[in-house]
Amino acid sequence: MSRIGKRPIELPTGVSVAISPGRVMVNGPLGELSQGIPQRISVEQGDGELVVKRPTERGEDRALHGLARTLVANMVEGVTKGFEKRLEIQGVGYRVALRGTAVELNVGYSHPVVKDAPDGITFEVPTPTEIVVKGIDKQQVGQVAAEIRKVRPPEPYKGKGIRYQGEYVRRKVGKRA
């Protein structure tokens, strides 16, 4: 098995890894994550690091190797630091409020939209126009943030809506008299 192209994953102190065929479980200070990996790809634990190896240099194996390495690296980072996505709300009268573990969005509809936090996800509302989605699973954090953004995506004429922090919304000119 070769290891060309990808570097080993450093394991911080306090992180333990359990490897079984086709599955990797990572346990750390913030929680535990488990992820299936392709059977052809092997993960080996060395002295304070994980090494992901592929059987051949074929294109498919190279792609699966990069995928598996990234998934395992994201799990290690998630259980040590966690992930967060920040969303901004722009528009007159648009605001967000925390209701227990859920967020209540007032974004121009006749009713407030309530989004509940799934297991492993927490919301923070530092200001009435900001939402912070936090969790240890990178995919789940991104998915929940995308679902919140989908409630009112930014529109191109006035720029009103929910957007990721730093997201550029291309503006259109609109009608001319």
Side-chain angles (χ1 to χ4, degrees):
M1 291 212 168
S2 98
R3 181 180 86 93
I4 299 173
K6 298 291 178 181
R7 62 195 182 281
I9 302 164
E10 297 291 324
L11 287 178
T13 56
V15 174
S16 62
V17 178
I19 302 168
S20 59
R23 195 150 217 55
V24 175
M25 291 176 57
V26 180
N27 199 339
L30 297 181
E32 182 177 334
L33 290 173
S34 176
Q35 177 70 48
I37 59 168
Q39 291 286 341
R40 298 174 56 88
I41 304 300
S42 69
V43 179
E44 298 171 2
Q45 188 170 358
D47 51 329
E49 63 184 24
L50 290 174
V51 178
V52 180
K53 295 185 178 181
R54 60 181 175 241
T56 67
E57 291 298 316
R58 288 182 29 227
E60 181 182 344
D61 287 339
R62 291 167 53 123
L64 289 175
H65 177 228
L67 171 71
R69 189 209 174 276
T70 302
L71 289 173
V72 172
N74 284 341
M75 287 195 306
V76 170
E77 185 179 342
V79 298
T80 54
K81 298 182 218 164
F83 293 100
E84 73 174 33
K85 284 266 188 186
R86 294 181 170 270
L87 297 158
E88 300 172 341
I89 298 177
Q90 290 191 351
V92 176
Y94 287 12
R95 63 187 178 276
V96 63
L98 203 56
R99 299 278 180 256
T101 59
V103 288
E104 184 180 281
L105 302 159
N106 292 309
V107 286
Y109 295 119
S110 61
H111 59 282
V113 180
V114 177
K115 284 286 186 185
D116 292 320
D119 290 340
I121 296 293
T122 58
F123 295 125
E124 289 180 10
V125 181
T127 65
T129 60
E130 265 188 272
I131 308 168
V132 181
V133 182
K134 289 186 173 187
I136 61 171
D137 186 355
K138 186 173 186 174
Q139 189 275 332
Q140 190 181 25
V141 168
Q143 182 67 37
V144 170
E147 289 170 4
I148 291 173
R149 182 183 181 274
K150 194 172 155 185
V151 169
R152 178 71 84 176
E155 54 94 17
Y157 296 102
K158 291 186 179 178
K160 294 171 23 171
I162 303 172
R163 63 179 78 180
Y164 296 113
Q165 189 174 35
E167 178 183 359
Y168 173 73
V169 177
R170 191 163 158 209
R171 301 291 293 271
K172 292 183 178 179
V173 175
K175 283 198 250 180
R176 298 223 184 233

